[in-house]
């Protein structure tokens, strides 16, 4: 005859059974895979974020002891007159990239998909700029943008009776010129994503549209775009975030000139950190940018939630 278990013995038995069940269901192997991932993310993603948040409230040159200054770094950054210029330039770049750069990969993907022959060749040609190192591509385009009569674009413009143009030296044309190169350099990677999404579109919908006599444009509007709306919404958000973090192109093309016409938020951040040695101000600006992009993403998801689920 077995004696009844006490409350503590019963609790210990239940815990033992739960642990045994967790081990049988692969809990240890889950930990073996999870711990290295957590360590890598912790060291290279979460720790820099946490360290950056602390730096935003400190005055430091990363050599001597840091001084806690509270919100002074944020006040200094927000009072910087160049911040408004940099924010406006960044928004201008994002708008141009959205208007001209966002439809380009989709148009390329639809064009390649509609091809009967040479689809692989055109895919490679469209993707080729992506494999070029950004520095090499930008230096190549700087040759194209040569303001002299011998520059490639000025030579083409002269053939049309135009120019010569100061592509990168004129404040009005510098940013559109940068957007043009950025669109050329990055369209291929997004096009590949769209091509993969297009392969998942039901072919019977296209066949039914063709039988009904729908043109290519009507098939795109009524079949392709509705079937791809989820991936379109994701790539749109990624592009908005990416354009607000533009740095390499204006830095290498113009260095922020002429007259700060291409100085972006990240270039201002770079100046704080590596020109002025003000790492507190740089991290405060990066925190403000991260908060802005986070709020923008939340607003975007809220505005597009119904369209993405219906």
């Amino acid at each position: 005859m077995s004696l009844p278990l006490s409350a503590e013995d019963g609790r210990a038995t239940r815990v033992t059974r739960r642990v045994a069940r967790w081990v049988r269901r692969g809990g240890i192997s889950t930990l073996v895979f999870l711990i290295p991932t957590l360590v890598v993310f912790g060291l290279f993603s979460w720790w820099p974020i946490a360290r950056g948040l602390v730096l935003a409230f400190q005055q430091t040159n990363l050599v001597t002891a840091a001084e806690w200054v509270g919100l002074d770094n944020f006040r200094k950054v927000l009072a910087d007159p160049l911040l408004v210029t940099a924010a406006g330039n960044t928004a201008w770049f994002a708008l141009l990239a959205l208007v001209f750069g966002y439809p380009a990969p989709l148009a390329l993907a639809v064009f390649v998909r509609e091809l009967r022959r040479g689809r692989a060749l055109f895919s490679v040609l469209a993707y080729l700029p992506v494999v070029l190192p950004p520095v090499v591509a930008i230096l190549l385009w700087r040759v194209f943008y040569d303001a002299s009569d011998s520059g490639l674009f000025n030579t083409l413009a002269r053939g049309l009776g135009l120019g010569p143009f100061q592509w990168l030296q004129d404040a009005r044309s510098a940013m559109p010129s940068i957007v043009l190169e950025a669109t050329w350099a990055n369209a291929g990677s997004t096009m590949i994503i769209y091509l993969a999404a297009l392969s998942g579109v039901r072919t019977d919908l296209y066949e039914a549209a063709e039988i009904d006599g729908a043109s290519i444009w009507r098939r795109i509007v009524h079949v392709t775009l509705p079937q791809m709306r989820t991936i379109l919404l994701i790539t749109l958000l990624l592009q908005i975030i990416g354009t607000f973090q533009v740095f390499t192109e204006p830095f290498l093309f113009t260095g922020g000139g002429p007259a700060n016409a291409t100085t972006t938020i990240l270039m201002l951040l770079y100046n704080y950190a590596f020109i002025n040695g003000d790492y507190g101000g740089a991290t405060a600006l990066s925190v403000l940018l991260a908060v802005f992009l986070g709020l923008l993403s939340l607003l975007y998801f809220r505005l597009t939630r119904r369209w993405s689920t219906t």
Side-chain angles (χ1 to χ4, degrees), residues 142-163:
R142 285 188 66 172
V143 176
F144 296 165
Y145 282 136
D146 187 351
S148 67
D149 288 341
S150 59
L152 175 62
F153 289 157
N154 273 339
T155 302
L156 296 175
R158 190 172 62 247
L160 299 173
L162 303 173

Side-chain angles (χ1 to χ4, degrees), residues 255-266:
N260 293 321
T262 57
T263 298
T264 61
I265 291 290
L266 256 62

Side-chain angles (χ1 to χ4, degrees), residues 16 37 40 86 171 213 239 242-243 259-260 293:
T16 302
T37 304
V40 171
Q239 173 155 345
T243 52
N260 293 321
L293 291 178

